[in-house]
Amino acid sequence: MLPADNPAAPTSAQLNRRTLLKSGGAGLGMLGAAGSGAPLLARERATGFTHGVASGEPGPDRVLLWTRYKAEQDTQLAVELSETLDFFSHSRGQSVTAGPDRDFCAKVVVTDLKPGTWYYYRFIAPDGTMSEVGRTRTLPEGPTARFRMAVFSCSNIGFGYFNAYAHAAEANDFDLVVHTGDYFYEYEAGRYPDEPLAGRSIDPQTETLALADYRLRHASYRADPDLRRLTQLYPMIMGWDDHESANDSYADGAENHDPATEGSWDARKAAAIRAYREWLPVSDDPWAAYEVGDLATLFRLETRLTARSRPPSLREIIGGKTSPEDMVASLTAFRDGAYRDPARTMLGQAQEDWLAAGLARSARQGKAWQVLAQQVLMGSVSTPPALAGGVTEDMPDYVRQRVLAAGMASRAGLPLNMDAWDGYPAARERLLRSALDANANLLVLAGDSHNAWAFDLDLDGERAGIEFAGQSVTSPGFEGYLPGVPPQLLEAAVVQHNDQLKWADTSQRGYMAVELTPTQAVGEYRFLGSVRQKSTALAGTKRFVSGAGERVLAEG
């Protein structure tokens, strides 16, 4: 990456005696020190500024600021913004209300700012107590030589420390953080993972179903000091994936939702969306575009809860069949029929039309890059049939069945994961065709799979774009499904079997650093040495480069 020129980072808040007395000794300091393992009762007793600050939704003249201030009633908070850390010269005049209706979370959009400028901000309560000092940045306007993003996904607190967040905060070399989803997980304690790492517990202990549950899970995650530090330092663009509501969710339901025992899906979905928009520095728009000077347009897509059709189920397709031949025959019939149904959608017609128009507009304006910040793999991946030989009897039954079904799907010419774009081929073709028709330089960012991938995207043999798909922050990947297969052999087999796939890493955690310039896009996969111990040491990196207009990747 090019050298960073970011300004000084504010330190974590230093508590004074007055703040400690107001919080009953269980406020900001306890949250920062204890992380998510702090007792629920102590966290709920905290008052004042309880969960730090964050910013997001940047534009050339605006940014959204977030904090949480808990009190007995609605409280007016003053907002200060300054170009210097000492706040010697600052703007003041805007205010925002924190109250029980939004779980005491407060969000305000500050406007009339300078483009491409770093700002410091803080919130002030009526009694004079202050929040942490945050740092944020507006998007550039006009000629832009480079832009740097840290891209994260799949941060399950029980599997380990958020060392990837901590590394990006220490690196201090980004303009923006992009989170492509699975910011938290909805499961009850003792499920995924069965045994969380000591000190990495969650609240509530039950699965998140109602609004109070989702709010408390957000509070539990924001108690993590590395997450709080990251959001303190950079503006964010975020989109939910499935676990912010329920596993494998779609418009009308989810794999991890049973209406018979868990009530209305619409009510659960509404609760998840409301808590997400309360607790994070995001707008209420389900999708949006962000202009990065004359360099790029970043499109934040919504691929889960608005319009996504129910994903196909390999288990249902082969259900009731007893022989491998009958199973493959059923899968083949599905491949030649319902699989390609054009009515099945990820985005819905309204979002498809909006994106096609936006791609055309951005390319027409001469912007070098059209970037999709979205959730799931767009590149196609099917399972090498030989991998079924790695299945053993000591594997969990659900893992063994999943691997065997994936092998049979591959024999029938079907992909590995129907919950990604691979499960919606007609919708993917429409998106790639709209990019080609616009002559866009398409760069797709993705998460969800927990593993790292680099794709050359094509449509009927025509180069259509590139994809950087990032590994998880903590959630385990393929190394958990096939522990008897060395990662190097697994990766080589998967790459060799899939034409679009240029490289994969199936065993390491971390994040991506993506840099855009007028002539090239660089994707650097940063792998942390461990998530089981708290450390920001890197185990290694891998870089890919694509020249503007080339729509093909090369190792960098």
Side-chain angles (χ1 to χ4, degrees), residues 519-551:
T519 60
Q520 67 178 19
V522 180
E524 181 177 88
Y525 299 80
R526 296 180 174 179
F527 300 107
L528 275 297
S530 173
V531 297
R532 306 295 290 180
Q533 292 84 37
K534 196 166 177 53
S535 170
T536 55
L538 289 181
T541 62
K542 182 73 174 182
R543 285 164 56 96
F544 285 90
V545 179
S546 182
E550 295 177 357
R551 300 173 188 156

PDB file of all heavy atoms in Angstrom, residues 519-551:
ATOM      1  N   THR A 519      -5.392   4.296 -12.003  1.00  0.00           N
ATOM      2  CA  THR A 519      -4.839   3.303 -12.921  1.00  0.00           C
ATOM      3  C   THR A 519      -4.953   1.867 -12.449  1.00  0.00           C
ATOM      4  O   THR A 519      -4.824   0.948 -13.257  1.00  0.00           O
ATOM      5  CB  THR A 519      -3.342   3.600 -13.190  1.00  0.00           C
ATOM      6  OG1 THR A 519      -2.626   3.559 -11.946  1.00  0.00           O
ATOM      7  CG2 THR A 519      -3.178   4.960 -13.839  1.00  0.00           C
ATOM      8  N   GLN A 520      -5.203   1.644 -11.151  1.00  0.00           N
ATOM      9  CA  GLN A 520      -5.259   0.266 -10.684  1.00  0.00           C
ATOM     10  C   GLN A 520      -6.032   0.145  -9.378  1.00  0.00           C
ATOM     11  O   GLN A 520      -6.211   1.116  -8.639  1.00  0.00           O
ATOM     12  CB  GLN A 520      -3.856  -0.303 -10.495  1.00  0.00           C
ATOM     13  CG  GLN A 520      -3.056   0.340  -9.386  1.00  0.00           C
ATOM     14  CD  GLN A 520      -1.672  -0.286  -9.210  1.00  0.00           C
ATOM     15  OE1 GLN A 520      -1.154  -0.946 -10.103  1.00  0.00           O
ATOM     16  NE2 GLN A 520      -1.082  -0.084  -8.048  1.00  0.00           N
ATOM     17  N   ALA A 521      -6.497  -1.092  -9.131  1.00  0.00           N
ATOM     18  CA  ALA A 521      -7.082  -1.467  -7.845  1.00  0.00           C
ATOM     19  C   ALA A 521      -6.195  -2.536  -7.235  1.00  0.00           C
ATOM     20  O   ALA A 521      -5.803  -3.493  -7.917  1.00  0.00           O
ATOM     21  CB  ALA A 521      -8.496  -1.993  -8.022  1.00  0.00           C
ATOM     22  N   VAL A 522      -5.878  -2.380  -5.959  1.00  0.00           N
ATOM     23  CA  VAL A 522      -5.027  -3.325  -5.244  1.00  0.00           C
ATOM     24  C   VAL A 522      -5.827  -3.921  -4.093  1.00  0.00           C
ATOM     25  O   VAL A 522      -6.414  -3.188  -3.295  1.00  0.00           O
ATOM     26  CB  VAL A 522      -3.753  -2.647  -4.696  1.00  0.00           C
ATOM     27  CG1 VAL A 522      -2.886  -3.663  -3.956  1.00  0.00           C
ATOM     28  CG2 VAL A 522      -2.966  -1.981  -5.811  1.00  0.00           C
ATOM     29  N   GLY A 523      -5.853  -5.230  -4.030  1.00  0.00           N
ATOM     30  CA  GLY A 523      -6.463  -5.919  -2.901  1.00  0.00           C
ATOM     31  C   GLY A 523      -5.399  -6.656  -2.122  1.00  0.00           C
ATOM     32  O   GLY A 523      -4.700  -7.511  -2.671  1.00  0.00           O
ATOM     33  N   GLU A 524      -5.249  -6.298  -0.845  1.00  0.00           N
ATOM     34  CA  GLU A 524      -4.270  -6.960   0.016  1.00  0.00           C
ATOM     35  C   GLU A 524      -5.015  -7.696   1.116  1.00  0.00           C
ATOM     36  O   GLU A 524      -5.693  -7.085   1.944  1.00  0.00           O
ATOM     37  CB  GLU A 524      -3.305  -5.939   0.622  1.00  0.00           C
ATOM     38  CG  GLU A 524      -2.241  -6.565   1.510  1.00  0.00           C
ATOM     39  CD  GLU A 524      -1.256  -5.527   2.025  1.00  0.00           C
ATOM     40  OE1 GLU A 524      -1.528  -4.931   3.087  1.00  0.00           O
ATOM     41  OE2 GLU A 524      -0.241  -5.313   1.343  1.00  0.00           O
ATOM     42  N   TYR A 525      -4.884  -9.008   1.132  1.00  0.00           N
ATOM     43  CA  TYR A 525      -5.484  -9.840   2.160  1.00  0.00           C
ATOM     44  C   TYR A 525      -4.508  -9.897   3.329  1.00  0.00           C
ATOM     45  O   TYR A 525      -3.371 -10.359   3.175  1.00  0.00           O
ATOM     46  CB  TYR A 525      -5.760 -11.242   1.631  1.00  0.00           C
ATOM     47  CG  TYR A 525      -6.728 -11.282   0.473  1.00  0.00           C
ATOM     48  CD1 TYR A 525      -6.301 -10.985  -0.820  1.00  0.00           C
ATOM     49  CD2 TYR A 525      -8.069 -11.612   0.664  1.00  0.00           C
ATOM     50  CE1 TYR A 525      -7.181 -11.021  -1.897  1.00  0.00           C
ATOM     51  CE2 TYR A 525      -8.953 -11.653  -0.404  1.00  0.00           C
ATOM     52  CZ  TYR A 525      -8.506 -11.356  -1.678  1.00  0.00           C
ATOM     53  OH  TYR A 525      -9.379 -11.393  -2.744  1.00  0.00           O
ATOM     54  N   ARG A 526      -4.925  -9.423   4.486  1.00  0.00           N
ATOM     55  CA  ARG A 526      -4.080  -9.400   5.669  1.00  0.00           C
ATOM     56  C   ARG A 526      -4.539 -10.489   6.638  1.00  0.00           C
ATOM     57  O   ARG A 526      -5.690 -10.491   7.080  1.00  0.00           O
ATOM     58  CB  ARG A 526      -4.141  -8.022   6.346  1.00  0.00           C
ATOM     59  CG  ARG A 526      -3.574  -6.906   5.465  1.00  0.00           C
ATOM     60  CD  ARG A 526      -3.646  -5.545   6.136  1.00  0.00           C
ATOM     61  NE  ARG A 526      -2.975  -4.529   5.320  1.00  0.00           N
ATOM     62  CZ  ARG A 526      -2.891  -3.233   5.648  1.00  0.00           C
ATOM     63  NH1 ARG A 526      -3.434  -2.795   6.791  1.00  0.00           N
ATOM     64  NH2 ARG A 526      -2.274  -2.386   4.850  1.00  0.00           N
ATOM     65  N   PHE A 527      -3.635 -11.412   6.952  1.00  0.00           N
ATOM     66  CA  PHE A 527      -3.955 -12.566   7.798  1.00  0.00           C
ATOM     67  C   PHE A 527      -3.345 -12.376   9.181  1.00  0.00           C
ATOM     68  O   PHE A 527      -2.124 -12.205   9.310  1.00  0.00           O
ATOM     69  CB  PHE A 527      -3.431 -13.851   7.164  1.00  0.00           C
ATOM     70  CG  PHE A 527      -4.012 -14.127   5.805  1.00  0.00           C
ATOM     71  CD1 PHE A 527      -3.252 -13.968   4.656  1.00  0.00           C
ATOM     72  CD2 PHE A 527      -5.331 -14.533   5.676  1.00  0.00           C
ATOM     73  CE1 PHE A 527      -3.781 -14.215   3.400  1.00  0.00           C
ATOM     74  CE2 PHE A 527      -5.878 -14.782   4.423  1.00  0.00           C
ATOM     75  CZ  PHE A 527      -5.102 -14.623   3.292  1.00  0.00           C
ATOM     76  N   LEU A 528      -4.198 -12.421  10.200  1.00  0.00           N
ATOM     77  CA  LEU A 528      -3.721 -12.316  11.578  1.00  0.00           C
ATOM     78  C   LEU A 528      -3.149 -13.649  12.036  1.00  0.00           C
ATOM     79  O   LEU A 528      -3.610 -14.718  11.623  1.00  0.00           O
ATOM     80  CB  LEU A 528      -4.858 -11.892  12.496  1.00  0.00           C
ATOM     81  CG  LEU A 528      -5.116 -10.376  12.612  1.00  0.00           C
ATOM     82  CD1 LEU A 528      -3.914  -9.665  13.222  1.00  0.00           C
ATOM     83  CD2 LEU A 528      -5.464  -9.745  11.282  1.00  0.00           C
ATOM     84  N   GLY A 529      -2.160 -13.567  12.902  1.00  0.00           N
ATOM     85  CA  GLY A 529      -1.512 -14.787  13.374  1.00  0.00           C
ATOM     86  C   GLY A 529      -2.431 -15.683  14.179  1.00  0.00           C
ATOM     87  O   GLY A 529      -2.281 -16.904  14.161  1.00  0.00           O
ATOM     88  N   SER A 530      -3.398 -15.091  14.881  1.00  0.00           N
ATOM     89  CA  SER A 530      -4.282 -15.885  15.731  1.00  0.00           C
ATOM     90  C   SER A 530      -5.507 -15.058  16.076  1.00  0.00           C
ATOM     91  O   SER A 530      -5.468 -13.818  16.043  1.00  0.00           O
ATOM     92  CB  SER A 530      -3.571 -16.293  17.018  1.00  0.00           C
ATOM     93  OG  SER A 530      -4.463 -16.930  17.925  1.00  0.00           O
ATOM     94  N   VAL A 531      -6.590 -15.735  16.390  1.00  0.00           N
ATOM     95  CA  VAL A 531      -7.729 -15.069  17.019  1.00  0.00           C
ATOM     96  C   VAL A 531      -7.951 -15.613  18.430  1.00  0.00           C
ATOM     97  O   VAL A 531      -8.805 -15.115  19.153  1.00  0.00           O
ATOM     98  CB  VAL A 531      -9.024 -15.228  16.190  1.00  0.00           C
ATOM     99  CG1 VAL A 531      -8.878 -14.565  14.833  1.00  0.00           C
ATOM    100  CG2 VAL A 531      -9.428 -16.702  16.044  1.00  0.00           C
ATOM    101  N   ARG A 532      -7.184 -16.605  18.825  1.00  0.00           N
ATOM    102  CA  ARG A 532      -7.339 -17.212  20.144  1.00  0.00           C
ATOM    103  C   ARG A 532      -6.542 -16.493  21.213  1.00  0.00           C
ATOM    104  O   ARG A 532      -6.787 -16.658  22.407  1.00  0.00           O
ATOM    105  CB  ARG A 532      -6.920 -18.684  20.105  1.00  0.00           C
ATOM    106  CG  ARG A 532      -7.623 -19.504  19.049  1.00  0.00           C
ATOM    107  CD  ARG A 532      -9.102 -19.625  19.311  1.00  0.00           C
ATOM    108  NE  ARG A 532      -9.416 -20.456  20.462  1.00  0.00           N
ATOM    109  CZ  ARG A 532     -10.649 -20.702  20.888  1.00  0.00           C
ATOM    110  NH1 ARG A 532     -11.684 -20.157  20.270  1.00  0.00           N
ATOM    111  NH2 ARG A 532     -10.855 -21.466  21.942  1.00  0.00           N
ATOM    112  N   GLN A 533      -5.549 -15.720  20.792  1.00  0.00           N
ATOM    113  CA  GLN A 533      -4.802 -14.846  21.707  1.00  0.00           C
ATOM    114  C   GLN A 533      -4.909 -13.426  21.178  1.00  0.00           C
ATOM    115  O   GLN A 533      -4.994 -13.195  19.976  1.00  0.00           O
ATOM    116  CB  GLN A 533      -3.324 -15.251  21.796  1.00  0.00           C
ATOM    117  CG  GLN A 533      -3.073 -16.594  22.462  1.00  0.00           C
ATOM    118  CD  GLN A 533      -3.220 -17.743  21.500  1.00  0.00           C
ATOM    119  OE1 GLN A 533      -2.856 -17.636  20.336  1.00  0.00           O
ATOM    120  NE2 GLN A 533      -3.759 -18.863  21.976  1.00  0.00           N
ATOM    121  N   LYS A 534      -4.859 -12.482  22.073  1.00  0.00           N
ATOM    122  CA  LYS A 534      -4.977 -11.076  21.683  1.00  0.00           C
ATOM    123  C   LYS A 534      -3.633 -10.600  21.134  1.00  0.00           C
ATOM    124  O   LYS A 534      -2.644 -10.508  21.854  1.00  0.00           O
ATOM    125  CB  LYS A 534      -5.410 -10.234  22.876  1.00  0.00           C
ATOM    126  CG  LYS A 534      -5.920  -8.865  22.502  1.00  0.00           C
ATOM    127  CD  LYS A 534      -6.646  -8.230  23.674  1.00  0.00           C
ATOM    128  CE  LYS A 534      -7.099  -6.819  23.361  1.00  0.00           C
ATOM    129  NZ  LYS A 534      -7.893  -6.720  22.133  1.00  0.00           N
ATOM    130  N   SER A 535      -3.587 -10.326  19.833  1.00  0.00           N
ATOM    131  CA  SER A 535      -2.345  -9.916  19.186  1.00  0.00           C
ATOM    132  C   SER A 535      -2.679  -9.323  17.822  1.00  0.00           C
ATOM    133  O   SER A 535      -3.601  -9.782  17.146  1.00  0.00           O
ATOM    134  CB  SER A 535      -1.407 -11.105  19.002  1.00  0.00           C
ATOM    135  OG  SER A 535      -0.308 -10.770  18.172  1.00  0.00           O
ATOM    136  N   THR A 536      -1.905  -8.325  17.416  1.00  0.00           N
ATOM    137  CA  THR A 536      -2.074  -7.762  16.079  1.00  0.00           C
ATOM    138  C   THR A 536      -0.952  -8.188  15.136  1.00  0.00           C
ATOM    139  O   THR A 536      -0.781  -7.604  14.065  1.00  0.00           O
ATOM    140  CB  THR A 536      -2.146  -6.224  16.145  1.00  0.00           C
ATOM    141  OG1 THR A 536      -0.979  -5.728  16.812  1.00  0.00           O
ATOM    142  CG2 THR A 536      -3.393  -5.761  16.864  1.00  0.00           C
ATOM    143  N   ALA A 537      -0.199  -9.206  15.503  1.00  0.00           N
ATOM    144  CA  ALA A 537       0.863  -9.709  14.628  1.00  0.00           C
ATOM    145  C   ALA A 537       0.252 -10.375  13.403  1.00  0.00           C
ATOM    146  O   ALA A 537      -0.685 -11.178  13.514  1.00  0.00           O
ATOM    147  CB  ALA A 537       1.744 -10.701  15.383  1.00  0.00           C
ATOM    148  N   LEU A 538       0.782 -10.057  12.229  1.00  0.00           N
ATOM    149  CA  LEU A 538       0.320 -10.663  10.991  1.00  0.00           C
ATOM    150  C   LEU A 538       1.070 -11.957  10.720  1.00  0.00           C
ATOM    151  O   LEU A 538       2.271 -12.061  10.938  1.00  0.00           O
ATOM    152  CB  LEU A 538       0.525  -9.713   9.810  1.00  0.00           C
ATOM    153  CG  LEU A 538      -0.362  -8.466   9.722  1.00  0.00           C
ATOM    154  CD1 LEU A 538      -0.022  -7.679   8.469  1.00  0.00           C
ATOM    155  CD2 LEU A 538      -1.838  -8.824   9.746  1.00  0.00           C
ATOM    156  N   ALA A 539       0.342 -12.939  10.191  1.00  0.00           N
ATOM    157  CA  ALA A 539       0.968 -14.172   9.734  1.00  0.00           C
ATOM    158  C   ALA A 539       1.418 -14.062   8.288  1.00  0.00           C
ATOM    159  O   ALA A 539       2.249 -14.852   7.829  1.00  0.00           O
ATOM    160  CB  ALA A 539       0.001 -15.336   9.884  1.00  0.00           C
ATOM    161  N   GLY A 540       0.891 -13.102   7.566  1.00  0.00           N
ATOM    162  CA  GLY A 540       1.263 -12.923   6.168  1.00  0.00           C
ATOM    163  C   GLY A 540       0.243 -12.085   5.435  1.00  0.00           C
ATOM    164  O   GLY A 540      -0.798 -11.692   5.981  1.00  0.00           O
ATOM    165  N   THR A 541       0.535 -11.795   4.170  1.00  0.00           N
ATOM    166  CA  THR A 541      -0.364 -11.037   3.307  1.00  0.00           C
ATOM    167  C   THR A 541      -0.335 -11.654   1.915  1.00  0.00           C
ATOM    168  O   THR A 541       0.574 -12.407   1.562  1.00  0.00           O
ATOM    169  CB  THR A 541       0.038  -9.554   3.208  1.00  0.00           C
ATOM    170  OG1 THR A 541       1.346  -9.465   2.619  1.00  0.00           O
ATOM    171  CG2 THR A 541       0.038  -8.877   4.571  1.00  0.00           C
ATOM    172  N   LYS A 542      -1.343 -11.312   1.123  1.00  0.00           N
ATOM    173  CA  LYS A 542      -1.399 -11.708  -0.286  1.00  0.00           C
ATOM    174  C   LYS A 542      -2.016 -10.553  -1.064  1.00  0.00           C
ATOM    175  O   LYS A 542      -3.057 -10.028  -0.668  1.00  0.00           O
ATOM    176  CB  LYS A 542      -2.246 -12.967  -0.452  1.00  0.00           C
ATOM    177  CG  LYS A 542      -2.332 -13.482  -1.882  1.00  0.00           C
ATOM    178  CD  LYS A 542      -1.036 -14.118  -2.329  1.00  0.00           C
ATOM    179  CE  LYS A 542      -1.177 -14.769  -3.705  1.00  0.00           C
ATOM    180  NZ  LYS A 542       0.068 -15.443  -4.134  1.00  0.00           N
ATOM    181  N   ARG A 543      -1.383 -10.160  -2.178  1.00  0.00           N
ATOM    182  CA  ARG A 543      -1.828  -8.991  -2.939  1.00  0.00           C
ATOM    183  C   ARG A 543      -2.197  -9.371  -4.371  1.00  0.00           C
ATOM    184  O   ARG A 543      -1.527 -10.186  -5.002  1.00  0.00           O
ATOM    185  CB  ARG A 543      -0.724  -7.936  -2.986  1.00  0.00           C
ATOM    186  CG  ARG A 543      -0.527  -7.160  -1.696  1.00  0.00           C
ATOM    187  CD  ARG A 543       0.804  -6.429  -1.683  1.00  0.00           C
ATOM    188  NE  ARG A 543       0.973  -5.543  -2.824  1.00  0.00           N
ATOM    189  CZ  ARG A 543       0.716  -4.228  -2.828  1.00  0.00           C
ATOM    190  NH1 ARG A 543       0.270  -3.658  -1.723  1.00  0.00           N
ATOM    191  NH2 ARG A 543       0.927  -3.495  -3.892  1.00  0.00           N
ATOM    192  N   PHE A 544      -3.269  -8.722  -4.840  1.00  0.00           N
ATOM    193  CA  PHE A 544      -3.663  -8.822  -6.242  1.00  0.00           C
ATOM    194  C   PHE A 544      -3.898  -7.418  -6.785  1.00  0.00           C
ATOM    195  O   PHE A 544      -4.352  -6.517  -6.063  1.00  0.00           O
ATOM    196  CB  PHE A 544      -4.929  -9.666  -6.403  1.00  0.00           C
ATOM    197  CG  PHE A 544      -4.678 -11.136  -6.237  1.00  0.00           C
ATOM    198  CD1 PHE A 544      -4.773 -11.722  -4.986  1.00  0.00           C
ATOM    199  CD2 PHE A 544      -4.330 -11.916  -7.323  1.00  0.00           C
ATOM    200  CE1 PHE A 544      -4.532 -13.071  -4.817  1.00  0.00           C
ATOM    201  CE2 PHE A 544      -4.080 -13.271  -7.167  1.00  0.00           C
ATOM    202  CZ  PHE A 544      -4.182 -13.851  -5.916  1.00  0.00           C
ATOM    203  N   VAL A 545      -3.597  -7.251  -8.073  1.00  0.00           N
ATOM    204  CA  VAL A 545      -3.705  -5.957  -8.735  1.00  0.00           C
ATOM    205  C   VAL A 545      -4.518  -6.134 -10.011  1.00  0.00           C
ATOM    206  O   VAL A 545      -4.406  -7.156 -10.706  1.00  0.00           O
ATOM    207  CB  VAL A 545      -2.316  -5.388  -9.078  1.00  0.00           C
ATOM    208  CG1 VAL A 545      -2.425  -4.050  -9.784  1.00  0.00           C
ATOM    209  CG2 VAL A 545      -1.465  -5.257  -7.819  1.00  0.00           C
ATOM    210  N   SER A 546      -5.338  -5.122 -10.315  1.00  0.00           N
ATOM    211  CA  SER A 546      -6.038  -5.097 -11.593  1.00  0.00           C
ATOM    212  C   SER A 546      -5.940  -3.695 -12.166  1.00  0.00           C
ATOM    213  O   SER A 546      -6.242  -2.711 -11.475  1.00  0.00           O
ATOM    214  CB  SER A 546      -7.506  -5.486 -11.424  1.00  0.00           C
ATOM    215  OG  SER A 546      -8.171  -5.503 -12.677  1.00  0.00           O
ATOM    216  N   GLY A 547      -5.494  -3.591 -13.417  1.00  0.00           N
ATOM    217  CA  GLY A 547      -5.441  -2.300 -14.074  1.00  0.00           C
ATOM    218  C   GLY A 547      -6.825  -1.827 -14.466  1.00  0.00           C
ATOM    219  O   GLY A 547      -7.702  -2.636 -14.813  1.00  0.00           O
ATOM    220  N   ALA A 548      -7.048  -0.531 -14.422  1.00  0.00           N
ATOM    221  CA  ALA A 548      -8.343   0.035 -14.793  1.00  0.00           C
ATOM    222  C   ALA A 548      -8.665  -0.355 -16.233  1.00  0.00           C
ATOM    223  O   ALA A 548      -7.858  -0.157 -17.139  1.00  0.00           O
ATOM    224  CB  ALA A 548      -8.319   1.550 -14.641  1.00  0.00           C
ATOM    225  N   GLY A 549      -9.833  -0.933 -16.428  1.00  0.00           N
ATOM    226  CA  GLY A 549     -10.262  -1.350 -17.748  1.00  0.00           C
ATOM    227  C   GLY A 549      -9.861  -2.750 -18.133  1.00  0.00           C
ATOM    228  O   GLY A 549     -10.349  -3.283 -19.141  1.00  0.00           O
ATOM    229  N   GLU A 550      -8.982  -3.401 -17.357  1.00  0.00           N
ATOM    230  CA  GLU A 550      -8.507  -4.732 -17.728  1.00  0.00           C
ATOM    231  C   GLU A 550      -9.472  -5.837 -17.316  1.00  0.00           C
ATOM    232  O   GLU A 550      -9.574  -6.867 -17.969  1.00  0.00           O
ATOM    233  CB  GLU A 550      -7.137  -4.988 -17.115  1.00  0.00           C
ATOM    234  CG  GLU A 550      -6.038  -4.075 -17.656  1.00  0.00           C
ATOM    235  CD  GLU A 550      -4.704  -4.315 -16.973  1.00  0.00           C
ATOM    236  OE1 GLU A 550      -4.646  -5.161 -16.042  1.00  0.00           O
ATOM    237  OE2 GLU A 550      -3.722  -3.678 -17.357  1.00  0.00           O
ATOM    238  N   ARG A 551     -10.138  -5.673 -16.161  1.00  0.00           N
ATOM    239  CA  ARG A 551     -11.094  -6.644 -15.639  1.00  0.00           C
ATOM    240  C   ARG A 551     -10.468  -8.030 -15.479  1.00  0.00           C
ATOM    241  O   ARG A 551     -11.099  -9.047 -15.729  1.00  0.00           O
ATOM    242  CB  ARG A 551     -12.330  -6.726 -16.534  1.00  0.00           C
ATOM    243  CG  ARG A 551     -13.077  -5.417 -16.675  1.00  0.00           C
ATOM    244  CD  ARG A 551     -14.175  -5.502 -17.694  1.00  0.00           C
ATOM    245  NE  ARG A 551     -14.764  -4.201 -17.964  1.00  0.00           N
ATOM    246  CZ  ARG A 551     -15.403  -3.897 -19.088  1.00  0.00           C
ATOM    247  NH1 ARG A 551     -15.541  -4.802 -20.041  1.00  0.00           N
ATOM    248  NH2 ARG A 551     -15.905  -2.693 -19.259  1.00  0.00           N
TER     249      ARG A 551
END
